[in-house]
């Protein structure tokens, strides 16, 4: 524990020095750091997906630096300091875990989540959904919205009911496409969104993380398509002159090698 405090104090000292002496660090504001923080978060996500401990450690360090940077800027503006950030988080964790630090009973993950949402509402949140960030990517946001609504009982009882909803939304999408006469139509977009939302909901019921599942599908497509490209390049061919049937045959080769 002492070693952790020592290296953390060193990081704070380095941050102070950079903020004072480095031309780039001196110029940064919360607004200029925002997009960089988002990028660092995605780099951490990539490292986690790849299961590379050293990369995860490095990206965690980069994110920690950003937290320290934001707190440094805030202290300069006389808004708050890092100590108050940590102190408030500690108090929040204790308050929202009454089954650990109080007398509330919660023996399952679902009970813990339900208690968490109740406590947030008691703290003044106007809606169960108010804790979902506006800027979240749409797929993750849909999952979080549905997950939070479920904590107050707003969900189907069985997975088959959700699948029936998926089929209903697919039918409505097909009807909208058929009536659009091959022209862009806001109704088609709306129905397509409903299909995606329903599929995300179904993913919850079958214990699948839709974001992770889609990312695996993306990586699988990239891997197989790159096999096609590499094979064609080795044969000194050109993808643009190949037929779909020829490319599909190479796609099946890529699948058979996995």
């Amino acid at each position: 524990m002492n070693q952790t405090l020592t290296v953390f104090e060193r990081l704070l000292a380095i941050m102070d020095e950079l903020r004072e002496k480095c031309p780039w660090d001196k110029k940064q504001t919360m607004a200029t750091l925002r997009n960089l923080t988002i990028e660092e978060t995605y780099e951490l996500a990539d490292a986690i997906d790849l299961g590379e401990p050293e990369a995860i450690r490095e990206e965690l360090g980069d994110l920690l630096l950003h937290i320290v940077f934001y707190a440094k800027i805030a202290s300069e503006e006389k808004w708050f300091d890092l100590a108050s950030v940590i102190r408030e988080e500690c108090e929040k964790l204790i308050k929202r875990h009454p089954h650990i630090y109080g007398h509330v009973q919660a023996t399952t993950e679902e009970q813990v989540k339900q208690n968490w949402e109740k406590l947030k509402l008691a703290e003044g949140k106007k809606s169960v959904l108010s804790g979902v960030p506006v800027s979240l990517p749409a797929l993750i946001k849909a999952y979080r919205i549905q997950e939070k609504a479920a904590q107050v009982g707003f969900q189907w009882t069985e997975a088959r009911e959700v699948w029936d909803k998926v089929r209903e939304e697919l039918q409505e999408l097909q009807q909208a496409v058929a009536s659009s006469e091959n022209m862009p139509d806001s109704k088609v977009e709306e129905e397509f969104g409903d299909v995606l939302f329903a599929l995300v909901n179904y993913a919850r019921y079958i214990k699948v993380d839709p974001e992770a599942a889609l990312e695996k599908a993306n990586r699988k497509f990239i891997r197989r398509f790159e096999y096609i490209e590499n094979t064609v390049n080795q044969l000194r061919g050109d993808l643009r002159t190949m037929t779909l049937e020829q490319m599909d045959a190479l796609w099946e080769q890529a699948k058979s090698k996995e």
Side-chain angles (χ1 to χ4, degrees):
M1 186 65 172
N2 290 336
Q3 183 181 7
T4 300
L5 292 175
T6 299
V7 294
F8 190 63
E9 287 176 354
R10 185 185 180 202
L11 175 61
L12 296 179
I14 291 172
M15 182 75 259
D16 289 343
E17 192 169 21
L18 292 177
R19 188 67 172 166
E20 179 184 351
K21 299 179 180 179
C22 174
W24 185 88
D25 289 283
K26 288 166 66 174
K27 285 182 59 178
Q28 300 314 304
T29 65
M30 289 193 180
T32 61
L33 288 174
R34 176 185 179 278
N35 287 344
L36 296 176
T37 306
I38 293 172
E39 182 179 336
E40 293 293 352
T41 304
Y42 278 111
E43 289 179 3
L44 172 60
D46 285 345
I48 292 171
D49 287 343
L50 294 173
E52 298 179 350
E54 291 186 3
I56 294 172
R57 180 181 60 195
E58 179 182 351
E59 299 305 337
L60 283 173
D62 290 342
L63 270 182
L64 178 59
L65 172 62
H66 277 241
I67 293 170
V68 169
F69 210 150
Y70 285 118
K72 176 64 177 177
I73 294 171
S75 67
E76 293 169 353
E77 297 291 337
K78 310 299 183 186
W79 294 345
F80 54 83
D81 59 15
L82 185 59
S84 66
V85 172
I86 297 172
R87 188 182 306 112
E88 184 174 330
E89 186 62 25
C90 289
E91 294 303 320
K92 185 197 298 184
L93 287 171
I94 291 171
K95 186 176 181 180
R96 292 189 180 175
H97 289 79
H99 54 290
I100 303 296
Y101 301 103
H103 303 288
V104 174
Q105 295 295 317
T107 56
T108 68
E109 179 186 357
E110 287 305 311
Q111 288 175 329
V112 171
K113 289 181 179 179
Q114 290 170 7
N115 286 338
W116 185 280
E117 296 301 336
K118 289 177 183 177
L119 287 166
K120 288 174 69 174
L121 288 174
E123 291 168 4
K125 299 288 185 182
K126 295 181 179 180
S127 168
V128 170
L129 305 180
S130 61
V132 180
V134 174
S135 56
L136 266 183
L139 188 67
I140 300 175
K141 186 190 291 187
Y143 189 86
R144 292 293 289 134
I145 288 171
Q146 293 164 4
E147 191 175 45
K148 284 182 172 291
Q151 298 308 316
V152 294
F154 192 72
Q155 65 174 346
W156 301 100
T157 305
E158 298 180 14
R160 60 176 179 79
E161 297 174 302
V162 189
W163 182 246
D164 288 342
K165 185 63 176 176
V166 171
R167 294 173 63 183
E168 176 188 324
E169 296 295 354
L170 280 169
Q171 186 175 11
E172 291 179 4
L173 172 61
Q174 290 174 329
Q175 292 170 351
V177 171
S179 61
S180 69
E181 298 179 352
N182 297 320
M183 297 293 288
D185 190 289
S186 60
K187 184 63 175 175
V188 173
E189 181 183 60
E190 178 185 344
E191 296 299 341
F192 187 81
D194 289 345
V195 169
L196 290 177
F197 195 82
L199 278 171
V200 169
N201 199 23
Y202 185 65
R204 286 196 314 112
Y205 282 77
I206 59 174
K207 310 299 182 185
V208 168
D209 180 338
E211 174 72 16
L214 182 57
E215 178 56 23
K216 287 178 181 178
N218 289 338
R219 291 174 188 244
K220 179 168 62 177
F221 183 92
I222 291 170
R223 186 170 63 248
R224 293 175 180 176
F225 191 80
E226 287 180 344
Y227 175 86
I228 295 174
E229 289 179 311
N230 292 335
T231 302
V232 172
N233 287 337
Q234 290 173 8
L235 296 174
R236 300 185 183 277
D238 188 339
L239 275 178
R240 291 167 295 186
T241 63
M242 295 181 66
T243 65
L244 177 59
E245 289 74 15
Q246 290 172 320
M247 287 189 284
D248 191 53
L250 291 175
W251 180 274
E252 291 301 321
Q253 283 184 26
K255 285 178 62 176
S256 67
K257 292 179 179 294
E258 292 180 352

